Amino acid sequence: MRKPIIVGNWKMNKNNAETKAFFEAVDGVAASENATYGIGCPFTDLRTALDHAKNLVVAAENCHFEDSGAFTGEVSVPMLEEMGVKYCIIGHSERREMFGDTDETVNKKAKRLIKAGITPILCVGETEADYDAGNSEKVIREELAGSLADLCPKCVGEMVIAYEPIWAIGTGKSASVEIAENCCKIVRDQVKAMYGEEAAEKVCIQYGGSVKPNNIVEYMAQPDIDGALIGGASLKEDSFTEIIEKTK
Ligand code: PGA
């Protein structure tokens, strides 16, 4: 039985004061035995988030795969580990599109995180052009083939994979429940093809892309959707609280 996991992705939003206020308002609501709730926040907010999180789990939004060295502006996995971070988003489409992340670097990040005992939340998803051309399945399978290469079946079973169609991110144009379920099922099938039935049954698969309080319940009701990665609706205390209350 997979435990659902719903994680907010703040992207480049909120300072420390805002982080503290958010956690003071929302953390108490996130106490649940049935689901895990969390927030991915900027590196500069991680300390404040971790200090105020009793129920919410805290995720970094990126990491570097090397432990140290001449990588100006980057943050390594051991640095996150030292802080007590337990989750890290990798391969978000914004990082793939704007900051040069590739399946190869995402794969290196996944390997380093797993070694540190930090759970990767690995994002995949097709562009609007790929969607229109009917290439969603091909893109999902290719991204997973590269990003999940050379891992162990047990490690993959313990990961979180987020399917996020790029055309649905921040657009308000969420994928239909059928599309979301179908693509999350493709993710699970690709995990099965690479790492076997047990890993595929265990791995938590999130849908992401314009998830809101008014559509979260129908996504969560799908057999292959085990959670959500939520951008815009995770920024407001009231909408993220509503999402938690509707799913816990
Ligand atoms: P959105 O973002 O919920 O604002 O569409 C999702 C994401 O980028 O993870």
Side-chain angles (χ1 to χ4, degrees), residues 22-218:
F22 182 97
F23 274 75
E24 282 173 355
V26 179
D27 188 76
V29 189
S32 169
E33 308 232 307
N34 304 323
T36 302
Y37 298 96
I39 289 293
C41 63
F43 291 129
T44 47
D45 295 331
L46 286 172
R47 181 77 275 142
T48 300
L50 288 162
D51 287 349
H52 290 84
K54 285 197 190 69
N55 301 302
L56 288 164
V57 298
V58 175
E61 296 178 11
N62 182 34
C63 62
H64 197 278
F65 49 82
E66 294 289 351
D67 285 5
S68 62
F71 302 102
T72 302
E74 291 294 305
V75 171
S76 74
V77 174
M79 292 169 185
L80 298 176
E81 192 181 4
E82 185 203 31
M83 294 187 82
V85 170
K86 295 282 187 279
Y87 291 82
C88 184
I89 300 168
I90 51 173
H92 190 279
S93 59
E94 287 151 17
R95 296 218 54 91
R96 290 176 186 261
E97 280 185 340
M98 292 184 271
F99 304 102
D101 281 16
T102 63
D103 292 334
E104 195 186 343
T105 58
V106 171
N107 181 240
K108 287 184 184 172
K109 292 176 189 199
K111 284 180 181 154
R112 188 60 190 91
L113 287 166
I114 289 166
K115 195 171 152 204
I118 299 177
T119 305
I121 302 174
L122 190 156
C123 306
V124 295
E126 79 284 3
T127 61
E128 183 145 40
D130 279 323
Y131 173 73
D132 289 342
N135 289 336
S136 304
E137 173 162 0
K138 182 170 171 279
V139 171
I140 293 168
R141 289 190 186 276
E142 279 174 8
E143 285 192 333
L144 287 172
S147 305
L148 290 178
D150 306 318
L151 299 173
C152 75
K154 183 172 176 289
C155 306
V156 175
E158 289 167 358
M159 281 176 64
V160 178
I161 300 174
Y163 165 66
E164 299 202 299
I166 296 171
W167 46 271
I169 295 179
T171 58
K173 207 170 88 182
S174 53
S176 69
V177 172
E178 293 72 28
I179 292 173
E181 163 60 16
N182 186 41
C183 290
C184 287
K185 203 171 171 176
I186 291 167
V187 170
R188 200 174 303 285
D189 191 63
Q190 180 64 23
V191 169
K192 186 175 163 191
M194 294 173 75
Y195 292 105
E197 180 87 44
E198 203 180 321
E201 284 308 311
K202 275 189 73 186
V203 67
C204 272
I205 301 172
Q206 298 175 319
Y207 165 73
S210 299
V211 175
K212 307 278 179 227
N214 67 6
N215 60 20
I216 182 77
V217 174
E218 47 181 2

